[in-house]
Amino acid sequence: MSVTRLEQPDEDERSTRPALVFGAEEDLSTFRSDADEFVSQAGSASSASKNGNGASVARLTGLAITLGGAILLLFAGYLFGWSDLQATHNQQRLFAAYERSAKVDSISGRVPADGEPAAVLAIPALGIHDIVVEGTSATDLQLGPGIMPSAPFPGTGGEGVIAGRDLTYGGVFGSLSQLRAGASVTVTDYLGTFRYVVSRSFSVKPSRALPVVRSNLGSLALVTSGSALPPSGFFVVEAKLVGNPAHESVHLRSPASASELTLGGDTSAWLPFLGWGLVFVLVLVGTVSAYRRTRQAVLVYVLSTPILLVLALLAFENAARLLPATM
């Protein structure tokens, strides 16, 4: 029987094999190292991307808060600054219009239309000498004090009602609480000139209706907001007519709207407010985007600022109409 003898590898073969195995292990180790490094870099890139997105969201949020705060400050400046200038301009315009129409109204007995000059109110103790318009909506009282359409016309029997603002648009009735009993109030309208003497003053709580005095002798109620910020309730000064009321026939007046009766906000201002407000925001966002993308910041400001100011005034004016009329 023959036996096959397994030959042992010679020394040269044994010295080369370990070298081959060692090289394979080294290649595998290098591959794993490269793979780990790739995974690590991918994770770092993903983390950086997430951090970048988070930073972008934070920047946009901060920018939105900043712009919102700036808009609120501008609106406050409009209410408590610019609106006073508007009121002065409105009174000058109304005085000119009243001088042209007073003679015609006195002859024809025509009651002015809503928002038109209807009378001149004089309260020497408070330094008030203002044109009074027909109507008591928030829009009417931006022009000056207003006569409530549902109440008797000043100078006739019953109690006429004149409402005015306490703080904004000149705040013509802002010092009404300082008026004391015995003070003189004069109203001049198409029926003539009528003098009243203050008899009392009182406050009306929020959600309460204004009291209406039924009298043939004639009286006058001056009404403004009970508190300025926040505006709530009413403060009323009541005055009695000195002498006899006018007996001339009074033509029919326009029916009072809900906002005129309650001296609340003018709901018809919602649509123009939303429209002008949307245009203002779009132009503002476009301005900020252009500023961030161009190096000519001065040019962006010069072109956009006048447009933004006009749009802001239009939006703010309608926003003010939504607030209580006697604010």
Side-chain angles (χ1 to χ4, degrees):
M1 184 173 78
S2 62
V3 178
T4 303
R5 184 178 177 182
L6 294 174
E7 295 185 2
Q8 297 293 331
D10 59 17
E11 197 134 341
D12 293 336
E13 278 183 297
R14 281 183 298 195
S15 63
T16 56
R17 285 181 184 176
L20 292 174
V21 174
F22 177 77
E25 290 178 354
E26 188 178 39
D27 292 341
L28 182 60
S29 176
T30 302
F31 175 77
R32 288 176 177 173
S33 177
D34 292 341
D36 291 341
E37 184 178 357
F38 175 78
V39 172
S40 177
Q41 291 177 352
S44 299
S46 177
S47 177
S49 177
K50 291 180 179 179
N51 292 336
N53 292 336
S56 298
V57 171
R59 283 195 299 270
L60 290 176
T61 302
L63 181 61
I65 293 174
T66 301
L67 292 177
I71 291 173
L72 289 177
L73 287 176
L74 287 174
F75 183 51
Y78 171 83
L79 283 179
F80 307 119
W82 184 262
S83 69
D84 293 346
L85 300 177
Q86 280 188 308
T88 301
H89 173 73
N90 290 335
Q91 282 293 306
Q92 292 173 349
R93 180 176 57 82
L94 289 171
F95 265 108
Y98 181 78
E99 290 176 356
R100 292 193 300 266
S101 62
K103 292 182 179 180
V104 175
D105 293 341
S106 63
I107 294 174
S108 64
R110 183 186 73 92
V111 176
D114 191 72
E116 288 186 357
V120 178
L121 174 67
I123 308 177
L126 302 180
I128 293 175
H129 187 76
D130 282 56
I131 290 290
V132 182
V133 299
E134 174 73 7
T136 54
S137 69
T139 304
D140 296 329
L141 297 192
Q142 287 182 351
L143 304 173
I147 299 174
M148 184 170 288
S150 63
F153 205 80
T156 62
E159 183 175 63
V161 177
I162 296 179
R165 290 183 176 268
D166 178 43
L167 190 60
T168 60
Y169 289 91
V172 63
F173 280 1
S175 56
L176 199 61
S177 60
Q178 300 176 13
L179 205 57
R180 299 291 179 254
S184 178
V185 177
T186 302
V187 177
T188 301
D189 55 34
Y190 72 96
L191 295 175
T193 298
F194 304 92
R195 179 174 174 266
Y196 298 83
V197 175
V198 174
S199 58
R200 63 169 182 155
S201 61
F202 55 92
S203 297
V204 179
K205 294 181 179 180
S207 74
R208 296 284 184 87
L210 287 172
V212 178
V213 176
R214 303 294 181 183
S215 171
N216 293 326
L217 299 178
S219 60
L220 179 68
L222 306 175
V223 184
T224 191
S225 177
S227 62
L229 293 174
S232 61
F234 302 108
F235 182 78
V236 182
V237 171
E238 194 172 75
K240 301 296 183 182
L241 178 65
V242 177
N244 297 322
H247 295 291
E248 286 85 352
S249 60
V250 179
H251 292 192
L252 294 176
R253 302 164 70 191
S254 302
S257 64
S259 65
E260 288 178 311
L261 292 174
T262 60
L263 299 176
D266 191 347
T267 55
S268 65
W270 271 114
L271 186 59
F273 165 66
L274 292 176
W276 289 117
L278 178 60
V279 175
F280 172 75
V281 171
L282 291 176
V283 175
L284 181 61
V285 171
T287 299
V288 173
S289 177
Y291 170 76
R292 298 179 65 183
R293 293 183 179 183
T294 184
R295 296 180 180 178
Q296 298 179 346
V298 176
L299 180 61
V300 173
Y301 282 132
V302 169
L303 294 177
S304 63
T305 298
I307 299 174
L308 285 171
L309 287 177
V310 171
L311 293 174
L313 286 175
L314 291 171
F316 291 164
E317 183 176 349
N318 287 284
R321 291 169 57 195
L322 297 172
L323 299 175
T326 54
M327 177 178 173

